[in-house]
Amino acid sequence: MASDTTPREAAVSGTTAEGSGPARKQRVLGRRARTAHPPQTLAGAFDPRRNSLAMMRVGLAGVVAVAHALSTGFGWQPSLGGTDLSALAVDGFFVLSGFLVTRSLLRLRSVRRYAWHRLLRLLPGFWACLLVIALVLAPLAALLEGRDPGAVLTAGEDPAWRYVLVNAGLVIAQHGIADLATPAGETALDGSLWTLQYEAACYGAVAVLLAVAGLRAQRRVLAVACVVVWAALLLESVVHIPLEPPAFANDQLLRFLLVFLLGAAGHVFADRLPVRWTWAVASGAVVVATAFLPDHRLPGAACFAYLCLYTVVRLPWRWTPSWDLSYGLYVYHWPVQFVLVLAGATGLGEWPFVVLSVAVSLCLAALSWVLVEGPALRLKDARWVGSARPVRSREPLTTPGRPGA
């Protein structure tokens, strides 16, 4: 039945279809509050100029460095339940990387230029690290072992020159040099480099997924890809159905691809993803609980990714330094710790050894940024790198340039 009063008259008389009196007033005030202060999304909370991405990346690299220092020097590393903290930190790296490189791809709108940026960010620092290990740290380690430093360059089946050559393509085919080893029997000169091949594979995967679709299709494709990778990881880890992937595409690739794609989905769905402390608390509880399971990623990967992205916009440390030391700290801390162990620095005790190794690694990371990574990134806008295939989408977040992006 139609009403004989207008909405304005009904409001004055205190009678509407919503009810009357205090109940109606509460509903009206609630609706006005929701309209004035809508739930904040990741897109609204993320400020490209003031966020915690840089500090989180350095912090995650620091967690890995500390864990490896305790493992290399003293035979243990911190864990949460049955999950090493270093594994969680590396997963966090991949979540943030997925978020960042998806921004980069959609902002650049060119697969070729995106690939050029990724190569500049990954390979120059990696190649320089291989050379420093082969020409400086390996001879120093040989000297500490009482051997001829020059012999490691060419002697034996795994000389230093071969270490550089066979590993230059990111796939680590030679881990040691000339049988150098710590007293505990560790022979890998840099046990952190193996993850970089998976990062490069994830770069390619997100380019393939996003370069062929418009914005709406990108969202659907990323959602489906996350489910497919999660299901594949479930089949391999729980049901034990063996997959026959090519070369390095094993369960490690599935693990990294899952968290990477979740980070990418965080960017593509940023305008729909609420940023709520209650969600963060619940996600943190799930992450802690699943850390006690054999594989925390199967039940907890989505919550872990949400917690990482929530921290990006809510952590109070929102300083973006002009030098990005996270990559250098990640690739140099292991060989530094290898040499310090041979030098007997473990005699200082656990935490003095940790502090010393991280400090030396940060010095090498600073040199890497100043001499290699920074100059390489200044070539990002080279004119000869044209557009190969544009990415058909709009960028949901404003993304001015950032060091290392």
Side-chain angles (χ1 to χ4, degrees):
M1 182 180 293
S3 171
D4 294 331
T5 59
T6 66
R8 179 179 180 85
E9 291 170 340
V12 171
S13 65
T15 302
T16 68
E18 293 180 321
S20 61
R24 185 201 64 82
K25 185 176 181 180
Q26 285 295 105
R27 283 191 289 271
V28 171
L29 291 176
R31 186 170 63 249
R32 289 177 178 174
R34 289 191 298 272
T35 303
H37 304 285
Q40 192 170 35
T41 63
L42 181 62
F46 182 79
D47 183 349
R49 300 182 185 278
R50 293 187 69 254
N51 59 71
S52 300
L53 276 168
M55 299 307 296
M56 284 185 65
R57 286 161 60 87
V58 173
L60 291 171
V63 170
V64 175
V66 169
H68 286 168
L70 293 172
S71 175
T72 303
F74 303 95
W76 73 279
Q77 63 171 303
S79 62
L80 179 64
T83 304
D84 293 336
L85 291 185
S86 60
L88 286 174
V90 173
D91 284 353
F93 260 123
F94 274 78
V95 171
L96 299 185
S97 185
F99 182 82
L100 280 169
V101 303
T102 303
R103 285 176 54 214
S104 175
L105 176 60
L106 298 184
R107 177 175 59 86
L108 294 171
R109 308 174 73 85
S110 165
V111 174
R112 181 179 296 173
R113 189 163 290 278
Y114 161 82
W116 174 243
H117 284 203
R118 294 304 96 210
L119 290 174
L120 288 177
R121 189 66 191 99
L122 202 59
L123 288 180
F126 171 72
W127 288 335
C129 181
L130 292 180
L131 289 172
V132 169
I133 291 172
L135 301 179
V136 180
L137 298 180
L140 180 57
L143 182 65
L144 292 171
E145 283 190 348
R147 298 164 55 182
D148 179 10
V152 302
L153 299 176
T154 58
E157 296 182 355
D158 52 355
W161 68 265
R162 186 177 184 277
Y163 180 84
V164 175
L165 184 63
V166 302
N167 294 334
L170 286 178
V171 178
I172 306 302
Q174 178 181 327
H175 295 273
I177 294 177
D179 296 323
L180 295 170
T182 65
E186 178 60 66
T187 59
L189 266 294
D190 198 336
S192 299
L193 299 181
W194 67 275
T195 62
L196 299 183
Q197 60 185 311
Y198 298 107
E199 184 162 0
C202 290
Y203 292 166
V206 79
V208 170
L209 288 172
L210 298 187
V212 297
L215 180 61
R216 293 182 180 177
Q218 286 167 3
R219 287 174 168 168
R220 290 195 298 269
V221 165
L222 270 179
V224 170
C226 289
V227 172
V228 168
V229 173
W230 182 88
L233 192 61
L234 178 68
L235 290 175
E236 184 154 290
S237 300
V238 176
V239 187
H240 301 296
I241 294 180
L243 304 178
E244 296 296 336
F248 64 92
N250 47 34
D251 61 334
Q252 293 290 358
L253 177 61
L254 293 176
R255 158 198 166 187
F256 292 131
L257 187 57
L258 176 61
V259 290
F260 188 92
L261 290 178
L262 287 171
H267 173 79
V268 173
F269 287 95
D271 57 337
R272 299 184 182 182
L273 186 63
V275 177
R276 297 175 182 170
W277 70 267
T278 52
W279 285 33
V281 170
S283 295
V286 171
V287 170
V288 171
T290 55
F292 289 82
L293 300 176
D295 189 347
H296 66 280
R297 297 171 197 90
L298 287 172
C303 291
F304 178 78
Y306 179 84
L307 192 60
C308 289
L309 297 178
Y310 178 89
T311 306
V312 167
V313 297
R314 288 293 182 254
L315 197 69
W317 304 325
R318 300 184 179 182
W319 176 49
T320 302
S322 57
W323 293 8
D324 184 357
L325 304 184
S326 59
Y327 186 47
L329 177 59
Y330 182 77
V331 299
Y332 280 107
H333 72 269
W334 186 294
V336 166
Q337 291 161 5
F338 189 98
V339 172
L340 288 177
V341 168
L342 290 176
T346 53
L348 299 172
E350 290 185 351
W351 293 109
F353 176 81
V354 168
V355 172
L356 176 62
S357 68
V358 171
V360 175
S361 302
L362 283 171
C363 291
L364 289 179
L367 289 174
S368 177
W369 177 261
V370 172
L371 300 178
V372 181
E373 298 170 56
L377 289 174
R378 287 197 286 271
L379 301 175
K380 289 191 303 181
D381 298 325
R383 293 183 177 180
W384 63 269
V385 185
S387 297
R389 178 171 184 169
V391 178
R392 301 190 301 275
S393 71
R394 297 188 308 275
E395 170 65 88
L397 302 182
T398 55
T399 55
R402 185 192 65 84

